[in-house]
PDB file of all heavy atoms in Angstrom:
ATOM      1  N   HIS A  48       2.830 -13.401 -45.260  1.00  0.00           N
ATOM      2  CA  HIS A  48       3.261 -14.415 -46.263  1.00  0.00           C
ATOM      3  C   HIS A  48       2.184 -15.492 -46.291  1.00  0.00           C
ATOM      4  O   HIS A  48       2.058 -16.270 -45.357  1.00  0.00           O
ATOM      5  CB  HIS A  48       4.617 -15.009 -45.860  1.00  0.00           C
ATOM      6  CG  HIS A  48       5.032 -16.142 -46.735  1.00  0.00           C
ATOM      7  ND1 HIS A  48       5.357 -15.958 -48.046  1.00  0.00           N
ATOM      8  CD2 HIS A  48       5.098 -17.479 -46.521  1.00  0.00           C
ATOM      9  CE1 HIS A  48       5.640 -17.124 -48.602  1.00  0.00           C
ATOM     10  NE2 HIS A  48       5.497 -18.068 -47.695  1.00  0.00           N
ATOM     11  N   ASP A  49       1.408 -15.520 -47.354  1.00  0.00           N
ATOM     12  CA  ASP A  49       0.251 -16.387 -47.415  1.00  0.00           C
ATOM     13  C   ASP A  49       0.452 -17.528 -48.425  1.00  0.00           C
ATOM     14  O   ASP A  49       0.294 -17.334 -49.625  1.00  0.00           O
ATOM     15  CB  ASP A  49      -0.999 -15.564 -47.778  1.00  0.00           C
ATOM     16  CG  ASP A  49      -1.293 -14.492 -46.733  1.00  0.00           C
ATOM     17  OD1 ASP A  49      -0.721 -14.571 -45.605  1.00  0.00           O
ATOM     18  OD2 ASP A  49      -2.025 -13.549 -47.018  1.00  0.00           O
ATOM     19  N   ASP A  50       0.804 -18.688 -47.892  1.00  0.00           N
ATOM     20  CA  ASP A  50       1.065 -19.849 -48.750  1.00  0.00           C
ATOM     21  C   ASP A  50      -0.203 -20.269 -49.467  1.00  0.00           C
ATOM     22  O   ASP A  50      -1.233 -20.493 -48.822  1.00  0.00           O
ATOM     23  CB  ASP A  50       1.596 -21.010 -47.911  1.00  0.00           C
ATOM     24  CG  ASP A  50       2.997 -20.737 -47.405  1.00  0.00           C
ATOM     25  OD1 ASP A  50       3.875 -20.415 -48.225  1.00  0.00           O
ATOM     26  OD2 ASP A  50       3.207 -20.840 -46.168  1.00  0.00           O
ATOM     27  N   MET A 133       3.482 -17.432 -55.009  1.00  0.00           N
ATOM     28  CA  MET A 133       4.932 -17.189 -54.984  1.00  0.00           C
ATOM     29  C   MET A 133       5.548 -18.516 -55.395  1.00  0.00           C
ATOM     30  O   MET A 133       5.677 -19.428 -54.586  1.00  0.00           O
ATOM     31  CB  MET A 133       5.362 -16.807 -53.560  1.00  0.00           C
ATOM     32  CG  MET A 133       6.841 -16.470 -53.420  1.00  0.00           C
ATOM     33  SD  MET A 133       7.298 -16.176 -51.692  1.00  0.00           S
ATOM     34  CE  MET A 133       6.383 -14.657 -51.356  1.00  0.00           C
ATOM     35  N   ASP A 170      10.210 -16.920 -49.451  1.00  0.00           N
ATOM     36  CA  ASP A 170      10.204 -18.223 -48.798  1.00  0.00           C
ATOM     37  C   ASP A 170      10.766 -19.391 -49.604  1.00  0.00           C
ATOM     38  O   ASP A 170      11.187 -20.394 -49.020  1.00  0.00           O
ATOM     39  CB  ASP A 170       8.776 -18.564 -48.309  1.00  0.00           C
ATOM     40  CG  ASP A 170       8.752 -19.706 -47.290  1.00  0.00           C
ATOM     41  OD1 ASP A 170       9.782 -19.935 -46.639  1.00  0.00           O
ATOM     42  OD2 ASP A 170       7.707 -20.357 -47.155  1.00  0.00           O
ATOM     43  N   PRO A 171      10.778 -19.360 -50.937  1.00  0.00           N
ATOM     44  CA  PRO A 171      11.286 -20.528 -51.672  1.00  0.00           C
ATOM     45  C   PRO A 171      12.680 -20.954 -51.214  1.00  0.00           C
ATOM     46  O   PRO A 171      13.470 -20.125 -50.778  1.00  0.00           O
ATOM     47  CB  PRO A 171      11.294 -20.058 -53.121  1.00  0.00           C
ATOM     48  CG  PRO A 171      10.162 -19.090 -53.174  1.00  0.00           C
ATOM     49  CD  PRO A 171      10.245 -18.358 -51.876  1.00  0.00           C
ATOM     50  N   PHE A 172      12.940 -22.248 -51.362  1.00  0.00           N
ATOM     51  CA  PHE A 172      14.077 -22.906 -50.704  1.00  0.00           C
ATOM     52  C   PHE A 172      15.303 -22.941 -51.623  1.00  0.00           C
ATOM     53  O   PHE A 172      15.744 -24.018 -52.048  1.00  0.00           O
ATOM     54  CB  PHE A 172      13.666 -24.314 -50.266  1.00  0.00           C
ATOM     55  CG  PHE A 172      12.192 -24.434 -49.936  1.00  0.00           C
ATOM     56  CD1 PHE A 172      11.403 -25.403 -50.534  1.00  0.00           C
ATOM     57  CD2 PHE A 172      11.609 -23.546 -49.022  1.00  0.00           C
ATOM     58  CE1 PHE A 172      10.032 -25.506 -50.229  1.00  0.00           C
ATOM     59  CE2 PHE A 172      10.241 -23.648 -48.734  1.00  0.00           C
ATOM     60  CZ  PHE A 172       9.467 -24.624 -49.338  1.00  0.00           C
ATOM     61  N   TYR A 235      12.388 -13.931 -43.281  1.00  0.00           N
ATOM     62  CA  TYR A 235      11.486 -12.858 -43.717  1.00  0.00           C
ATOM     63  C   TYR A 235      10.600 -12.349 -42.584  1.00  0.00           C
ATOM     64  O   TYR A 235       9.530 -11.844 -42.781  1.00  0.00           O
ATOM     65  CB  TYR A 235      10.662 -13.276 -44.924  1.00  0.00           C
ATOM     66  CG  TYR A 235       9.901 -14.589 -44.757  1.00  0.00           C
ATOM     67  CD1 TYR A 235       8.663 -14.646 -44.113  1.00  0.00           C
ATOM     68  CD2 TYR A 235      10.445 -15.794 -45.244  1.00  0.00           C
ATOM     69  CE1 TYR A 235       7.977 -15.830 -43.975  1.00  0.00           C
ATOM     70  CE2 TYR A 235       9.753 -16.989 -45.105  1.00  0.00           C
ATOM     71  CZ  TYR A 235       8.536 -17.001 -44.469  1.00  0.00           C
ATOM     72  OH  TYR A 235       7.849 -18.194 -44.334  1.00  0.00           O
ATOM     73  N   ASP A 294       4.228 -15.625 -41.810  1.00  0.00           N
ATOM     74  CA  ASP A 294       3.154 -16.428 -42.400  1.00  0.00           C
ATOM     75  C   ASP A 294       1.788 -16.051 -41.802  1.00  0.00           C
ATOM     76  O   ASP A 294       1.572 -16.154 -40.607  1.00  0.00           O
ATOM     77  CB  ASP A 294       3.398 -17.917 -42.132  1.00  0.00           C
ATOM     78  CG  ASP A 294       4.708 -18.402 -42.757  1.00  0.00           C
ATOM     79  OD1 ASP A 294       5.467 -17.567 -43.290  1.00  0.00           O
ATOM     80  OD2 ASP A 294       4.993 -19.612 -42.658  1.00  0.00           O
ATOM     81  N   HIS A 411       3.102 -23.066 -56.675  1.00  0.00           N
ATOM     82  CA  HIS A 411       3.444 -22.530 -55.338  1.00  0.00           C
ATOM     83  C   HIS A 411       4.605 -23.322 -54.698  1.00  0.00           C
ATOM     84  O   HIS A 411       4.783 -24.505 -55.003  1.00  0.00           O
ATOM     85  CB  HIS A 411       2.197 -22.577 -54.474  1.00  0.00           C
ATOM     86  CG  HIS A 411       2.470 -22.343 -53.017  1.00  0.00           C
ATOM     87  ND1 HIS A 411       3.021 -21.159 -52.570  1.00  0.00           N
ATOM     88  CD2 HIS A 411       2.318 -23.116 -51.930  1.00  0.00           C
ATOM     89  CE1 HIS A 411       3.184 -21.254 -51.249  1.00  0.00           C
ATOM     90  NE2 HIS A 411       2.780 -22.424 -50.846  1.00  0.00           N
ATOM     91  N   HIS A 412       5.353 -22.659 -53.838  1.00  0.00           N
ATOM     92  CA  HIS A 412       6.561 -23.291 -53.295  1.00  0.00           C
ATOM     93  C   HIS A 412       6.295 -24.381 -52.258  1.00  0.00           C
ATOM     94  O   HIS A 412       7.221 -24.886 -51.678  1.00  0.00           O
ATOM     95  CB  HIS A 412       7.540 -22.224 -52.755  1.00  0.00           C
ATOM     96  CG  HIS A 412       6.962 -21.356 -51.710  1.00  0.00           C
ATOM     97  ND1 HIS A 412       6.357 -20.156 -51.981  1.00  0.00           N
ATOM     98  CD2 HIS A 412       6.901 -21.484 -50.361  1.00  0.00           C
ATOM     99  CE1 HIS A 412       5.941 -19.581 -50.849  1.00  0.00           C
ATOM    100  NE2 HIS A 412       6.276 -20.365 -49.852  1.00  0.00           N
ATOM    101  N   ASP A 413       5.023 -24.708 -52.019  1.00  0.00           N
ATOM    102  CA  ASP A 413       4.715 -25.937 -51.281  1.00  0.00           C
ATOM    103  C   ASP A 413       3.864 -26.881 -52.097  1.00  0.00           C
ATOM    104  O   ASP A 413       3.385 -27.882 -51.568  1.00  0.00           O
ATOM    105  CB  ASP A 413       3.990 -25.602 -49.959  1.00  0.00           C
ATOM    106  CG  ASP A 413       4.864 -24.792 -49.037  1.00  0.00           C
ATOM    107  OD1 ASP A 413       5.960 -25.254 -48.703  1.00  0.00           O
ATOM    108  OD2 ASP A 413       4.465 -23.654 -48.703  1.00  0.00           O
TER     109      ASP A 413
HETATM  110 ZN1  LIG B1101       5.804 -20.105 -47.872  1.00  0.00          ZN
END
Side-chain angles (χ1 to χ4, degrees):
H48 174 69
D49 299 344
D50 290 307
M133 182 185 294
D170 195 24
F172 329 127
Y235 52 84
D294 299 5
H411 167 61
H412 57 268
D413 296 302

